[in-house]
Amino acid sequence: MKLVVLFVIVIPCALANTCASNDKCATKKSSGQPPKHYNVILIGATGNLASKYLWKALFDLFKERFIKNEVRFQIYGAARQEQDAGRRMMSELFLNVIKCSDDNCREKKKSFVESSQYLRLKTERDFQHLAALLDENTQSIYGLSGSPVTFEEGRLVYLSIPPSSYAKTSKFVNQYLRPKVGRPWFRVVLEKPFGKDLTTAKKLAKAMESYFDENEIYRIDHYLGKTVVKQILPFRYTNKEAYEPVWNREYIERVDVVLKEKDDAVGRTTFYNEVGIIRDVMQNHLTEMMALVAMDLPENSGNISEILQSKVRVLHDVRPPNRHSTLTAQYSTYNMEWLKEQKLSNNVSRTATFAASVLFVDNDRWSGVPFVLMSGKKLDEKSSYVRILFKNARFCMRATEGSCNWQKQLVFLIGGTNLKLPSMIAASRGLPAPTVKAGWTVKTPKTDVELFGQNIREMVQLIPDKETEPYVELIGAAIDGARHLFVSTEMLLASWKIWTPALELTERQLPRQYMGQGKDAERLDFVVTSKGIFYQLNQKDVYTTETLSHDHSIYTNIPSEFQNSPLVTGDGTSVVKTLVHEIIKICEEKIEADGIFHLALPGGSTPISLLHELSLAPLPWEHVHLWFIDERCVANSDDHSNFNLMQRHLLSKVQISYNNIHPILVDIADELCSEGPIRSDEIYQRSIRRHLPSAVFDYIVLGVGNDGHIASLFPKQPSAPSDRLAIYTESEGHPFKRVTLTYNTINSAHHIAVLILGKAKHKMVSLISESDDGVLYPVVAVKPQNGSLMWYIDHEALFGEEATDASFSIK
């Protein structure tokens, strides 16, 4: 059954503004001409993009442009679902997505829904059926069947499908869905990504060119439809006399193009792992916005071809990137999320979730001016903006003059920020006052907030009277033929020519790790110089694979950090062997320098495999002093005794002098951990000071309990006095009174290793991965004062049930 009902919209000329209101549109009288007919075919009509944005945008466009008896508009929703299932999905979608609060809207919704119909589009025969239906509906309702005359003005095909399906679908679209009567225009809208690099983009472009002319292809970048982004070029033209003379390297210090996201990639890692932050937003959204700022202005603002060519020319002037052009980072839980969503996969990804690039445009206008493009996920705020920072060469004769502190900046605030400011164009009062266009209003802020270091009261703010949704703007622009709001093939390839070398360079690097959500924002702080872009904190993030013997090569390091310190991972055996190898290396260096090495080891079940490997290691035991991290207040012969554990698994198997073993004496005068004048913790403290006057251990290994405790330092316990090296502790849920080293003693060590093994620890690893609460999770309070910290976590503890015993490969 066909559900074809007609509705009316106004189609303005290519560069005209759409009607500001229904009332304004309604003042136009019917010309008496035959109605114009437009067909829209939405392929992928039940997909995620269509459900979230496209159907709503089509309805909003209808509401804005509706005038009866001037334009007939029919929509065909097509997808792979069978007819009944697809029709039900569309009905539910219209019910849930298109909301109305008044009778006028409800009436228009009724017409809109009735004018839309669903068709299965899965086979070539389905395309043939759709083509016949288009021809029949377009001609028969006017009584023109078989006539060479048609009222069809244009046909828009929106491919809301994966790019991998473009070629096959385009073949059938070209073959069957082109208008066959008259000369209506024909346009095809494509969604990103448009390739993964220059090679694939060229291949995809060539495939499209075999079916469509360039002027028929409309590649959508939804940022070009955002209200403020759409105003960058109009702002430059409207204020050309005032701003064009200073729109160059003599007056502009830097241009920032930024898109920050608070969300992580949970639920989307399969997609995200294929693209990463550079392909996802920098190659397209940020590059397009940069081009709008950097391009030369054609004399004729209405010449779409000249505007597109000017954008292409400026990208051709961008200096080829080098290894200092881009920084990358990855939020610390990304790999855990990726592995969980892959289920059976054992690949660890180095996909960047943050990137910052500095680009230089080598032409007379911009030579030497850095364009900083930055984007990331799981950051401190959701915001996007273009900030043009002007040089301030003014000399102030009077230091108290307030205007001496004024920055000169022009900000296109596209959306977001924690300040909850509206989208706006904001110009410092030290710059020329911008001309106010129709549809925009100058507003004075009522709050004293800072915008990039400047009080917003010191800035002229242009606020749009109305913000429109990007897809509403862009679908309307596609109907209008406004190609300057879309990505041309030349622009696409020019952009990939910049970013493909950048990707090749960055994908050979391991991304810096960050916790995200502003918890360690300083790790992403960077500086821009004429030589490139560099992290402000210059830390060694990654360690290389080691070979322990000629026949046992292990993958020792994931390209990652944990809690902002280096992370070593692999199967449990490999992790422990790597830790022992590191202990041997530090031990040899220390003995060569000082002739002695002080090593402190934990108790519990975690270190048993470590003790076994140490018993086999070629350590110079005669120079090693062995210390205990903590001890339970039980007899040395008790199975719960850490000394007993150490005796069975290590001490009895190595040649170490009794004088080099430093147990915690808990059984004194037949009393365990006495509270009297002779206390076990004080005895141990004196022993440490006697052998280590500085109380600084060379190497401390810590295990972690299921509640995050280390040594016998438990959650929510008060801190010990700073002068204490060892203390008594007790905790509900943990049997026995204990003696333990203090946080101060642990954090004073030259080297600290945290060893976590087994699936039982996965939940705790997940909890502490992003926590900064050392009271709730004592292991988080391990922060070396002057030494190093390294995490040794096996795959099972890091990834839980999804981990396998196989070593991970770098993807």
Side-chain angles (χ1 to χ4, degrees), residues 535-572:
Y535 279 123
Q536 202 159 358
L537 291 179
N538 184 21
Q539 292 180 293
K540 186 175 181 181
D541 292 324
V542 181
Y543 291 74
T544 59
T545 300
E546 301 285 354
T547 301
L548 298 187
S549 65
H550 71 282
D551 62 349
H552 186 70
S553 178
I554 64 168
Y555 173 71
T556 61
N557 295 88
I558 187 172
S560 159
E561 291 188 349
F562 189 85
Q563 277 278 339
N564 296 337
S565 292
L567 168 67
V568 173
T569 191
D571 62 87

Side-chain angles (χ1 to χ4, degrees), residues 165 343 417 490 635 730 739:
S165 302
K343 299 193 183 300
T417 80
E490 284 188 288
E730 290 183 86
V739 180

Side-chain angles (χ1 to χ4, degrees), residues 322-328 354-358 360 372 509 512 521-539 541:
N322 58 41
R323 65 189 183 92
H324 297 306
S325 299
T326 303
L327 302 173
T328 60
F354 168 91
S357 294
V358 58
F360 291 94
V372 179
Q509 302 170 1
R512 170 173 287 208
E522 68 280 356
R523 288 189 54 72
L524 299 180
D525 288 345
F526 56 85
V527 293
V528 178
T529 72
S530 59
K531 296 180 179 179
I533 188 169
F534 306 92
Y535 279 123
Q536 202 159 358
L537 291 179
N538 184 21
Q539 292 180 293
D541 292 324

